[in-house]
């Protein structure tokens, strides 16, 4: 952008110098012509000097005092005709005023449009040739000499005029390009400023979205680890309280509660560090689900079995975590609300999707009333604690499944059990 500004300043400086030249060149040439005429003793010198003064006033009126008139072509044509007239009178009175007549070449580009510049240059060439030949030709030899000088001046002046026209056009094009570039840079700077504001806004939005995503992640992880574990600990401690007269059962329930507390603490720490659940770190998904099912069955004294169909393969870590957490949540809801005697889990590996079905023979519920807050008797799958399919558990499960582009379907009716199906796309993961 600084380079463009420098170009603009250079062009402006060049134009100012040309303007100074156009304004003061006539005075310089008039002074030189008058001085030479005085030194050589030109006849009728006083009248010649008076005409020189009037010519200087003519230039002053049109060029110096009214610089804005240079854009008014008719006034400039009048000025140029008057300039040639003064030059012609002065050249006829003293050939030394050929220096002043030479100004016509320069001011033709200032005062005349492109179509008339050659005519002005030709008129100036006639005056300059007359001055160079010592006045108007009086015989054949003088005419020949005058003609040769005239043709030479015309040729040189025409060539200079042509080059000047080309240069002027290039200058105008360059000036236009520089102005366009400056305008483009200005718009670019404005766009950059707008983009800076937009970028700052996007950063704020991204930060807010990141905070919201992290809150949702932590909420899901807390529900899947601490909340589930604490519910299990409370359940085992309540069972231990009821079995305090039976030392063996009491110890078994207390042992389960302690184990659940340790597991929940370890999973909570892994969740804070955003590390995969421990079962998936040490085993593949089918094995992790099988171990989860076995331990849940022993802990709750309910028959549960996992069946795997298709060819197991390594999936994306987030997909495996989603299916494992879905299985945990489904089994937790069965334990709290279903009063089931049998649970079946089916992990199916298909070509483009993997599904996990969890079915129980419990009391069932009415899916259309899930999350409405009414009929919280337990028959609809929502326990008195408000946690379960109608609480955050279902929301967290749906968020996880939706997050990997999957679908969660729940089918149930009172007295006919419940089926939860999590279907996720196959996203391959790195093999271990």
């Amino acid at each position: 952008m600084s380079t463009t500004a420098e170009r603009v300043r250079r062009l402006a400086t060049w134009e100012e110098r040309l303007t100074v030249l156009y304004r003061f060149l006539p005075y310089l040439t008039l002074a030189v012509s008058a001085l030479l005429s005085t030194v050589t003793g030109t006849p009728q010198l006083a009248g010649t000097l008076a005409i020189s003064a009037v010519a200087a006033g003519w230039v002053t009126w049109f060029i110096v005092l009214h610089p804005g008139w240079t854009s008014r072509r008719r006034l400039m044509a009048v000025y140029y005709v008057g300039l040639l007239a003064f030059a012609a009178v002065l050249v006829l009175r003293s050939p030394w005023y050929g220096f002043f007549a030479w100004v016509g070449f320069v001011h033709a580009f200032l005062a005349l449009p492109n179509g008339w510049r050659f005519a002005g240059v030709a008129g100036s060439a006639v005056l300059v040739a007359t001055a160079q030949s010592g006045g108007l030709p009086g015989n054949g030899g003088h005419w020949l000499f005058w003609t040769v000088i005239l043709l030479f001046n015309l040729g040189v002046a025409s060539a200079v005029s042509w080059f000047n026209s080309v240069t002027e056009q290039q200058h105008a094009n360059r000036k236009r390009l520089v102005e366009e570039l400056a305008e483009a840079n200005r718009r670019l700077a404005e766009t950059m400023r707008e983009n800076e504001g937009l970028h700052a806004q996007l950063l704020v939005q991204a930060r807010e979205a990141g905070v919201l995503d992290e809150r949702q992640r932590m909420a899901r992880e807390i529900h899947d680890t601490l909340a589930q574990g604490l519910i299990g600990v409370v359940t085992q401690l309540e069972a231990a309280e009821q079995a305090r007269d039976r030392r063996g059962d009491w110890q078994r329930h207390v042992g389960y509660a302690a184990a659940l507390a340790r597991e929940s603490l370890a999973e909570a720490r892994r969740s804070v560090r955003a590390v995969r659940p421990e079962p998936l770190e040490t085993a593949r998904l089918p094995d992790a689900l099988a171990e989860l099912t076995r331990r849940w069955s022993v802990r709750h004294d309910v028959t549960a079995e996992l069946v795997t169909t298709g060819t197991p393969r390594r999936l994306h870590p987030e997909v495996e975590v989603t299916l494992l957490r879905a299985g945990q949540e489904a089994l937790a809801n069965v334990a709290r609300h279903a009063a089931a005697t049998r649970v079946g889990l089916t992990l199916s590996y298909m070509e483009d999707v993997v599904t996990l079905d969890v079915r129980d023979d419990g009391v069932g519920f009415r899916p259309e009333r899930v999350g409405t807050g009414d009929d919280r008797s337990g028959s609809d799958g929502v326990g008195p604690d408000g946690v379960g399919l109608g609480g955050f558990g279902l929301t967290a499960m749906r968020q996880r499944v939706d997050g990997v582009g999957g679908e969660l379907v729940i089918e149930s009716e009172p007295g006919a059990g419940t089926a939860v199906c999590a279907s996720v796309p196959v996203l391959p993961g790195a093999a271990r």
Side-chain angles (χ1 to χ4, degrees):
M1 191 171 180
S2 59
T3 304
T4 303
E6 182 64 26
R7 290 177 179 175
V8 172
R9 285 194 295 269
R10 288 178 181 177
L11 288 174
T13 301
W14 179 250
E15 290 178 347
E16 290 176 359
R17 291 174 180 175
L18 286 178
T19 301
V20 172
L21 176 64
Y22 289 149
R23 288 182 178 180
F24 295 100
L25 184 62
Y27 301 109
L28 177 61
T29 56
L30 273 174
V32 172
S33 299
L35 178 61
L36 292 174
S37 298
T38 303
V39 172
T40 57
T42 300
Q44 301 179 346
L45 180 60
T48 302
L49 294 178
I51 296 173
S52 298
V54 175
W58 180 263
V59 173
T60 301
W61 179 257
F62 280 91
I63 303 301
V64 177
L65 297 181
H66 299 91
W69 285 2
T70 55
S71 60
R72 302 172 63 177
R73 291 305 180 187
R74 291 185 178 180
L75 280 176
M76 285 295 97
V78 172
Y79 159 74
Y80 192 78
V81 171
L83 180 69
L84 290 185
F86 281 113
V89 172
L90 290 171
V91 165
L92 291 177
R93 296 177 68 90
S94 173
W96 291 114
Y97 279 89
F99 291 103
F100 175 66
W102 189 83
V103 174
F105 292 131
V106 177
H107 278 211
F109 297 94
L110 174 66
L112 300 178
N114 288 332
W116 291 93
R117 287 178 181 175
F118 183 78
V121 168
S124 298
V126 170
L127 297 178
V128 172
T130 302
Q132 290 172 340
S133 64
L136 290 175
N139 52 55
H142 197 179
W143 274 103
L144 178 61
F145 180 64
W146 181 85
T147 302
V148 171
I149 295 177
L150 174 62
L151 293 176
F152 176 80
N153 287 335
L154 281 175
V156 173
S158 298
V160 172
S161 299
W162 182 79
F163 282 112
N164 189 77
S165 297
V166 172
T167 302
E168 188 179 58
Q169 184 64 35
Q170 292 177 344
H171 175 74
N173 292 337
R174 189 180 299 110
K175 183 178 179 181
R176 185 182 68 255
L177 291 175
V178 170
E179 291 174 351
E180 292 175 354
L181 181 59
E183 177 65 18
N185 285 337
R186 185 189 62 78
R187 291 197 299 268
L188 179 60
E190 292 179 355
T191 303
M192 291 178 64
R193 286 193 295 270
E194 293 175 357
N195 286 342
E196 289 177 358
L198 179 60
H199 181 66
Q201 183 179 358
L202 290 177
L203 285 178
V204 172
Q205 293 177 351
R207 185 161 49 248
E208 293 175 351
V211 170
L212 179 59
D213 289 343
E214 182 63 14
R215 286 177 178 173
Q216 292 178 345
R217 185 189 74 82
M218 289 303 300
R220 292 193 298 266
E221 294 295 335
I222 289 173
H223 176 271
D224 293 338
T225 56
L226 289 178
Q228 296 285 10
L230 289 174
I231 291 173
V233 169
V234 170
T235 301
Q236 293 300 325
L237 291 178
E238 289 175 348
E241 178 68 19
Q242 296 174 0
R244 57 185 172 179
D245 296 333
R246 302 185 302 277
R247 184 171 181 78
D249 291 341
W250 181 85
Q251 290 179 337
R252 178 168 57 85
H253 289 303
V254 171
Y256 284 155
L260 279 172
R262 286 192 293 269
E263 292 175 3
S264 298
L265 179 60
E267 285 298 315
R269 289 171 175 170
R270 299 176 71 86
S271 298
V272 170
R273 299 195 303 268
V275 180
R276 282 168 31 114
E278 192 274 337
L280 292 177
E281 290 291 332
T282 59
R284 303 182 67 182
L285 178 62
D287 299 328
L289 283 173
E291 178 63 16
L292 171 69
T293 303
R294 185 192 66 78
R295 294 171 62 182
W296 182 89
S297 178
V298 172
R299 187 174 298 142
H300 297 282
D301 196 22
V302 176
T303 301
E305 181 182 7
L306 171 70
V307 176
T308 301
T309 64
T311 303
R313 55 190 182 275
R314 177 64 59 185
L315 303 175
H316 190 278
E318 190 65 24
V319 172
E320 293 189 342
V321 171
T322 297
L323 291 175
L324 179 65
R325 294 305 191 195
Q328 289 178 331
E329 178 64 27
L331 289 174
N333 284 323
V334 172
R336 288 197 299 271
H337 311 302
T341 61
R342 185 176 184 84
V343 181
L345 290 81
T346 303
L347 179 63
S348 303
Y349 287 88
M350 289 171 277
E351 182 177 358
D352 55 352
V353 295
V354 179
T355 62
L356 176 64
D357 295 281
V358 182
R359 299 178 181 271
D360 67 72
D361 60 355
V363 297
F365 64 98
R366 291 183 292 275
E368 67 275 7
R369 302 181 66 177
V370 171
T372 60
D374 58 353
D375 192 10
R376 297 168 65 89
S377 62
S379 62
D380 61 348
V382 181
D385 56 2
V387 180
L389 289 175
F392 184 77
L394 177 59
T395 301
M397 192 186 304
R398 287 193 184 279
Q399 287 178 348
R400 284 189 181 276
V401 175
D402 292 342
V404 295
E407 182 182 8
L408 182 69
V409 177
I410 301 174
E411 298 178 354
S412 182
E413 60 182 64
T418 301
V420 177
C421 178
S423 176
V424 297
V426 173
L427 300 176
R432 289 191 303 201

